[in-house]
Amino acid sequence: MDKVYRSISIFCLLFLVTGCWDQNEIEERGFVIGTAIDMVKGKTDDSVGEMSEEERKEKYKLTYQFVVPGNFIGGGSGGGQSGGGASEGKPFLNLTAEGTSIHQITRKMAAETSRKPYLEHINLIVLSEELARKGYLKDAMDFFVRDHEMRRVAKVMVAEGEARKVLEINPQHEKMPVLFIDSLSENIVKHGTSLPPINIGDVHSYLLKGNSFVIPRIVIKDNKGIILGAAMFNSQNQEMIGTLNESETLGLNFITEKVESAVLEFLMNGQLVAFEIKGAKSKIEADVSDKDQIKFTVKINVDGNVGEVYGDVALKNRSVLSEIEEKTAKEIERIINGAIDKVQKKYKADVFELGAYLKQEHYKTWKQVNKEWDKGENYFSKSVVDVQVRVDVRQIGASIKMVK
């Protein structure tokens, strides 16, 4: 028994004194907080592998935004540099390199900085519109989906022009561009005119399902990032096929039940009324008696407040409130029908997720149309979508009349 106890004691001692097998010192890591991916043509110094230069026609330009912890306190905001070099006292450093695979470019960067890129803290991945339109979304995302260091919560966006420009903006209230865009994407949801944030896990799910889908679109104005509308991808080859502006994205969000808050403006008897939407629920029904012209009815119930009125509007009068509800409902129907008209006639890609509804509620019909739902015969574009909106005013504010 003594031998047994002695063996157990030695094993426990060895277990306690053994460190982590994959331990890395924190000061040796280069924390990457965001990345941008662009396309580039031409020769590269990437010489690893058997591919010829002709076979390497399309290449990636990858930009990583590193945190510079020593400059975070008291460091300047904005700016940053691309292609290496000192950060000039800024709390971040942008490094850019080119190659034919994201993995290889990441390894190359390790040779350009004293700290190995560590990807676990990436908050944002920005893809250029050129890359998305050429159908490289799936290829570009593969590394981030596959890499064991990556968390699937990192947000994904499509930039209007060059993606790396997003990492070079000069925010006023944040020290790092990525942190600014990250906060902006959370706040802008309250406007209803942009998509809720979409992360790596969402994109991976879209790619696996093979449906049409949308990703938030970011535009740079006055060196400041603004998230506007949506970039649409088709189910056929998962290429970006077009964009939705703010109003059309709001219409999309109403159908997919993603409107948390929004403000609508309209005239009533020549006076401006601003209606604050506080919540919206949607319910879809379908008449599938004719698979060549499936009829969808989208019923949307909206709650909200009278946020602002100009002129003399008698809010204590129930008939006036009914008129506000009616006008708000018509405005919402106009917005939604505008989005449906554009998507059905121009792009013919079901980003409204009507096919998902058919699959769940009318599976027999879905089996008949799913292979050519929004491609080929394109049953989606031939379907009829009727929108019915009901609005209820919950509050008119603390005052029913302005003092003149």
Side-chain angles (χ1 to χ4, degrees):
M1 286 298 287
D2 288 345
K3 286 185 177 179
V4 174
Y5 286 132
R6 198 160 37 242
S7 299
I8 294 174
S9 300
I10 292 171
F11 175 79
C12 292
L13 184 62
L14 290 173
F15 179 79
L16 291 173
V17 300
T18 302
C20 297
W21 65 272
D22 63 343
Q23 179 180 356
N24 284 311
E25 299 300 331
I26 192 169
E27 60 269 20
E28 295 175 357
R29 289 179 165 176
F31 290 98
V32 179
I33 196 169
T35 182
I37 310 173
D38 293 285
M39 299 299 297
V40 61
K41 289 184 178 180
K43 292 186 177 181
T44 176
D45 56 356
D46 181 355
S47 58
V48 179
E50 297 180 346
M51 287 188 296
S52 66
E53 191 62 38
E54 184 65 23
E55 291 171 320
R56 298 176 191 274
K57 282 182 179 177
E58 302 285 7
K59 306 175 186 70
Y60 296 117
K61 179 185 288 183
L62 181 70
T63 302
Y64 279 150
Q65 185 158 104
F66 290 84
V67 179
V68 183
N71 294 339
F72 216 86
I73 299 177
S77 63
Q81 292 190 355
S82 298
S87 60
E88 296 181 347
K90 297 182 175 62
F92 66 90
L93 170 66
N94 290 346
L95 277 182
T96 299
E98 298 176 6
T100 49
S101 72
I102 305 298
H103 201 157
Q104 189 179 62
I105 302 171
T106 302
R107 291 294 179 90
K108 286 169 63 179
M109 279 193 188
E112 297 182 24
T113 176
S114 59
R115 298 178 181 182
K116 177 187 174 185
Y118 184 64
L119 309 182
E120 189 172 322
H121 297 283
I122 286 184
N123 281 346
L124 178 66
I125 298 173
V126 185
L127 309 168
S128 72
E129 186 169 325
E130 180 188 11
L131 180 149
R133 286 188 181 275
K134 286 185 174 180
Y136 287 105
L137 170 69
K138 185 176 181 179
D139 294 338
M141 293 301 299
D142 186 79
F143 170 76
F144 300 101
V145 171
R146 196 179 299 276
D147 192 88
H148 70 280
E149 288 184 357
M150 284 294 303
R151 294 181 299 170
R152 298 172 77 83
V153 295
K155 296 181 177 66
V156 180
M157 297 181 188
V158 174
E160 181 186 43
E162 284 187 89
R164 67 182 181 87
K165 296 289 186 184
V166 175
L167 302 187
E168 297 173 356
I169 61 171
N170 188 19
Q172 292 183 341
H173 302 296
E174 293 283 357
K175 289 180 177 294
M176 302 184 66
V178 168
L179 296 183
F180 174 73
I181 298 298
D182 187 45
S183 300
L184 194 64
S185 67
E186 297 289 344
N187 294 336
I188 206 166
V189 172
K190 297 176 182 177
H191 299 176
T193 54
S194 186
L195 294 176
I198 287 173
N199 58 42
I200 290 177
D202 296 324
V203 174
H204 190 204
S205 176
Y206 295 152
L207 295 173
L208 290 176
K209 289 178 180 176
N211 300 332
S212 299
F213 58 93
V214 285
I215 292 178
R217 181 168 179 260
I218 184 167
V219 176
I220 303 299
K221 289 185 178 177
D222 301 326
N223 203 25
K224 299 173 184 176
I226 301 174
I227 299 170
L228 295 170
M232 291 190 292
F233 293 77
N234 65 9
S235 61
Q236 203 161 358
N237 41 25
Q238 297 173 328
E239 291 178 354
M240 179 178 165
I241 53 174
T243 61
L244 295 179
N245 63 26
E246 293 174 88
S247 175
E248 293 157 352
T249 303
L250 179 59
L252 168 67
N253 286 339
F254 271 119
I255 295 177
T256 54
E257 212 173 49
K258 293 175 181 173
V259 175
E260 294 182 13
S261 180
V263 176
L264 298 180
E265 296 177 341
F266 52 87
L267 294 177
M268 199 167 83
N269 300 325
Q271 305 296 334
L272 178 68
V273 175
F275 187 85
E276 181 187 19
I277 295 172
K278 300 298 289 184
K281 297 288 185 183
S282 68
K283 182 180 179 182
I284 301 175
E285 298 172 354
D287 176 356
V288 296
S289 55
D290 180 4
K291 72 178 178 63
D292 291 319
Q293 194 175 57
I294 297 172
K295 297 177 181 176
F296 293 96
T297 301
V298 182
K299 296 181 179 179
I300 298 174
N301 290 320
V302 176
D303 291 334
N305 306 329
V306 178
E308 188 176 355
V309 294
Y310 286 20
D312 190 13
V313 179
L315 294 177
K316 62 181 180 181
N317 191 329
R318 181 59 228 180
S319 64
V320 173
L321 292 182
S322 296
E323 188 176 352
I324 290 176
E325 291 172 342
E326 184 180 346
K327 283 187 173 292
T328 305
K330 286 185 177 179
E331 177 63 10
I332 294 174
E333 288 176 359
R334 185 190 67 79
I335 290 170
I336 296 174
N337 286 328
I340 292 172
D341 190 60
K342 180 176 182 179
V343 172
Q344 271 196 311
K345 292 181 179 177
K346 186 172 182 180
Y347 296 108
K348 302 181 178 181
D350 178 21
V351 295
F352 300 117
E353 301 174 8
L354 296 176
Y357 166 80
L358 282 183
K359 183 179 181 181
Q360 184 171 347
E361 302 295 333
H362 301 276
Y363 189 70
K364 187 176 179 181
T365 302
W366 176 245
K367 289 286 285 181
Q368 296 175 344
V369 302
N370 79 90
K371 291 183 179 178
E372 296 193 346
W373 174 241
D374 60 356
K375 52 193 169 190
E377 189 73 17
N378 210 303
Y379 293 98
F380 163 70
S381 64
K382 296 190 292 185
S383 62
V384 176
V385 184
D386 179 40
V387 179
Q388 300 174 6
V389 179
R390 173 190 167 91
V391 175
D392 290 305
V393 175
R394 297 302 182 191
Q395 295 183 19
I396 59 173
S399 174
I400 60 173
K401 189 175 183 180
M402 282 297 292
V403 178
K404 296 182 179 179

